[in-house]
Amino acid sequence: MAALKGLDTGTELTRHAAALRAQGYDFVVRYYSHNAAKNLSLGEARALSAAGLLIGAVWETAGTYASFFNRAQGVADGGAAFRMAQAAIGQPAGSAIYFAVDYDATGADIEGPVTDYFAGVKMAFAAAADGLSPYAVGVYGSGLCCDTLIDKQLATLGW
């Protein structure tokens, strides 16, 4: 399989979609969060797709330190991300929403609060979809974080 060329950004890309594709980009990763200025919008998603770009989505708020992570925060973030993907964007079933662990988490952080957070995300997805979520849970983090959460079946994809 050939490697794909992509980028991630918190910047809105609607007017750059065709130029990115012309420069050889295959995908963009955009964000869901509580910050509307950072978020992927429906119009932007349509423009990126029309230009032939694949889209990835990452939920990212304040996941830059261990004390942010806990089960209740995972439930809240999972529910908010699910609603944004389904209601605001119409994200396709079978795709993933990644959740950011955006710091060099220690093994103890990953085994404790980060694991609790991802258990909460999975709970929220299941509750929002009567047990059968159309979206996979992905983790955006270090190799250790991704491997651990995938091994625990709290995420199916890592980046």
Side-chain angles (χ1 to χ4, degrees):
M1 175 179 200
L4 299 177
K5 181 179 177 182
L7 63 99
D8 75 288
T9 182
T11 302
E12 192 269 330
L13 295 172
T14 301
R15 65 188 179 116
H16 304 292
L20 288 168
R21 187 67 184 138
Q23 292 174 20
Y25 284 90
D26 301 298
F27 71 92
V28 298
V29 177
R30 291 285 285 113
Y31 291 89
Y32 297 157
S33 71
H34 296 298
N35 177 354
K38 180 179 179 177
N39 291 344
L40 175 68
S41 69
L42 178 57
E44 180 184 8
R46 288 179 175 161
L48 294 169
S49 292
L53 293 162
L54 300 170
I55 304 168
V58 176
W59 176 267
E60 182 179 54
T61 54
T64 58
Y65 50 93
S67 63
F68 168 79
F69 294 95
N70 58 62
R71 187 175 306 258
Q73 188 65 56
V75 170
D77 288 351
F82 189 97
R83 286 187 299 279
M84 187 170 290
Q86 195 164 63
I89 302 300
Q91 183 172 319
S95 61
I97 302 171
Y98 290 79
F99 290 80
V101 181
D102 208 6
Y103 75 105
D104 193 16
T106 66
D109 293 348
I110 296 165
E111 288 293 335
V114 173
T115 290
D116 292 344
Y117 176 87
F118 276 82
V121 168
K122 277 192 78 166
M123 288 172 57
F125 274 33
D130 295 324
L132 297 171
S133 175
Y135 306 121
V137 174
V139 54
Y140 171 89
S142 70
L144 176 63
C145 187
C146 292
D147 290 346
T148 300
L149 293 169
I150 291 169
D151 287 348
K152 290 178 177 287
Q153 299 182 341
L154 294 172
T156 56
L157 301 164
W159 171 42

